[in-house]
Amino acid sequence: MELGPYLILASLEGAVTAAVLALTAVGLSLVFGVMRVVNIAHGEFFMLGAVIAWFIAHSLGGHPAVGFAVALVAAPLIVGAIAVAADMTILKRVDYDPERTIVATIGLLYIIQQLALMTYGPDARPVEAPFNTRIALPWFERGEGGWQMIWPWGLGTTTYKLAVIGAAVAVLLGVWLLMKRTRIGLVMRATQADRDMALAFGIPVERVYAMVFGMGAALAALAAVLIVPIQQAHYLMGADPLLLSFIVVIIGGLGSLPGTVLAAVLIGLSDGIISVFFSPTLAKILATLLVGLVLVFRPEGLAGKRGA
Amino acid sequence: MLVLDKINSGYGRAQILRDLSLTVKSGEILCLLGRNGAGKTTTMQTIMGLLPLMSGQITLDGQDVGRLPPHLVPRAGIGYVPQGRRLFAGLSVAQNLEIGLRTRNHGPETLDEVLELFPRLRERFRQRAETLSGGEQQMLATARALCLKPKALLLDEPTEGLQPSMIEAIRQVIVQMRSQGVAVLLVEQRVDAVISVADRVAFIENGQGGEVIDAETLRRDHSIVERYIGV
C-alpha cells in the first residue's frame, strides 16, 4: 500500500481524537474564560464521565444501544451536578482567587481519582458501542486501464467513529449558538468581560459561575462517554485529556471558543498522523513544543486577543 | 433619596471609608470632591455592594440596600457609570444596553427613551462596544445605566478625557436626569465642571466626610475648594 491510504487512515483516527479533544478543551476554555479558574480537575470530570457511563451501561444490560443512550444523557448531567456542588462548596469559599483555585482543584483531582479507584477499581473496562459497522474505504490506483478504484486491506473506519465526529460537531455548534444567540449566553459573555460590572447590572454572578463550571465538566464527561467505546474506562484516564486540553486551550487562546476548536483540530489531527507514522510520544513532544513556541511568539494564542 | 449613614468600608483589611455620611436627595446633583485616594470611587463601589460594608447603613428611598447581595443593589434602582467606562467588551452596543434593560426588566420603550438622549448610539447599534470612540463609549456607559430607569445614578468621572462637545452632551443628560427626580451622585476631578452643574458639593478627605456646601456658595468663593483639593 502506498502512502495515501495510510494518511487517510491516520487523519480519520486524528479526527476522532480532535472531536473528543475539542469537546473537552471547550469545557476547560469556557471555565477559564468566564470564571478565570484554571481547573486542574477537568481531566477527572472526563474520567468520571467514562466511569459513570460504564456503571450505567453495566447495570442496565439489554441492548448496548440502550445503556449507551442513557449514559450519553445521564453521565454529563451527573458529572455537571457534581461540578456545580464542587463550585458552590469549594471554589466559592476561596472567592475564586486564581492561586487558591488551582490548589483547590488539584485537591479535587486526587479526591475524585481516589474515590473512583475505591469504587470502580483499577481495571480498564469497555462500554460496548451502540452500533459499530465497518466501512471499507476505496482508494484510486492507476492500473492497466487508467485510474481504477481499489479497496485496500485495512483502510476503513467504523460507523461509530464517524458518529463521534458528527456528535462532537453538533454539540460544539450547540455551544456556539448558546453563547451567541441566547439570553444565557449573553449573560455569560458579560460576566466574562467584566465580573464587577455584571454584578452592577444585576447579573447573579455566583449562579452564572456554578452553571459554567457544571457546563464545562458536563462537556468533558460527554466527550468521555463518546470515546469510552473506543478507549475503555480507567481511573487514571483523565491525565492525557487534561494535558492535551491545556495544550489546545493555550494554543487556541485562553477563553476563545473558535480558537480552541481550531487548535483541537490541529493537535488532534497531527496527533493522529504523527502517532501512526512515528510514535504517540513524538506527537506529545511536538505538541508541547508547539505550546512553548506559541507562548514565546504569540502569548495570546492563535485566536486570542492581545492584552485580554 | 440615597442616604449613607456612617459607612465603613475598604479592601480586605485596609479600611478606606470611615464613618462617612452623605445624603443625595431625589432631583439633586450632589458632587463628591476630594483628592486622589480620598475614597470617592470606594464610596461608589461600596454603594453598589462591590466592596463589603463593614458597618453603617445605606438606604435608597427608605429601603436598606447596604446588606443586599451585590447583584440585587442595581435591581433596587441604582445605576452605575463607573470610572473608565467598563463596557462589556465583545458585546455590541445593543447587547450592552440589553444587559442594562434586563437588570430591572424594562422593555423596548425604555430603550427608545434612552436612545432619544443619545442618538449617536442608534447609528452604532450593531457595532462592538470597544470599537466606539471614547466619547461614544462614555455615552454607552451612561445609557446602559439609564436603561435601569434608576432612582439614584452614580457617575464616576464621566467626562474624563472627553472633548468639550461630548462633555456638554453628558452634562445635558445629567441635568435632565435631575429634572426627572433622579438622585445624582457625581464624582468629578475638574472643579469648574462640578460647580457649574452641582446643587451641593460634599468634600471627602482620607475616607471621612467633610463639609457639605451649596454649589452657589462655592461659585462665589473659590477658596473653600482650594483648602480641600489644594490646587
Side-chain angles (χ1 to χ4, degrees), chain A residues 180 183 186-187 189-191 193-205 207 305, chain B residues 48 50 70-71 74-75 80 82 86 88-91 95 98-100 102-103 144-145 148:
Chain A
K180 290 285 176 192
R183 182 180 270 236
L186 184 65
V187 164
R189 286 193 292 149
T191 308
D194 195 324
R195 175 185 178 275
D196 277 359
M197 281 310 110
L199 282 173
F201 285 89
I203 294 174
V205 166
R207 239 178 292 163
K305 278 177 223 114
Chain B
M48 294 312 295
L50 299 176
H71 72 279
R75 291 190 194 173
Y80 183 31
R86 296 180 68 171
F88 296 117
L91 271 57
Q95 288 169 330
E98 194 180 341
I99 299 271
R102 286 220 186 116
T103 308
R144 181 178 63 173
L148 275 67

Side-chain angles (χ1 to χ4, degrees), chain A residues 15-36:
Chain A
V16 175
T17 311
V20 173
L21 184 54
L23 285 179
T24 317
V26 161
L28 188 72
S29 176
L30 208 59
V31 167
F32 179 81
V34 176
M35 305 169 67
R36 299 278 133 182

Side-chain angles (χ1 to χ4, degrees), chain B residues 43-71:
Chain B
T43 306
M44 295 205 161
Q45 288 178 337
T46 305
I47 296 172
M48 294 312 295
L50 299 176
L51 291 175
L53 187 62
M54 294 165 182
S55 69
Q57 207 180 27
I58 303 172
T59 56
L60 177 68
D61 290 348
Q63 185 197 354
D64 185 353
V65 295
R67 302 275 177 265
L68 289 178
H71 72 279

Side-chain angles (χ1 to χ4, degrees), chain B residues 94-113:
Chain B
Q95 288 169 330
N96 268 277
L97 294 175
E98 194 180 341
I99 299 271
L101 287 171
R102 286 220 186 116
T103 308
R104 301 184 75 202
N105 296 319
H106 290 302
E109 325 78 61
T110 310
L111 180 65
D112 281 338
E113 283 171 38

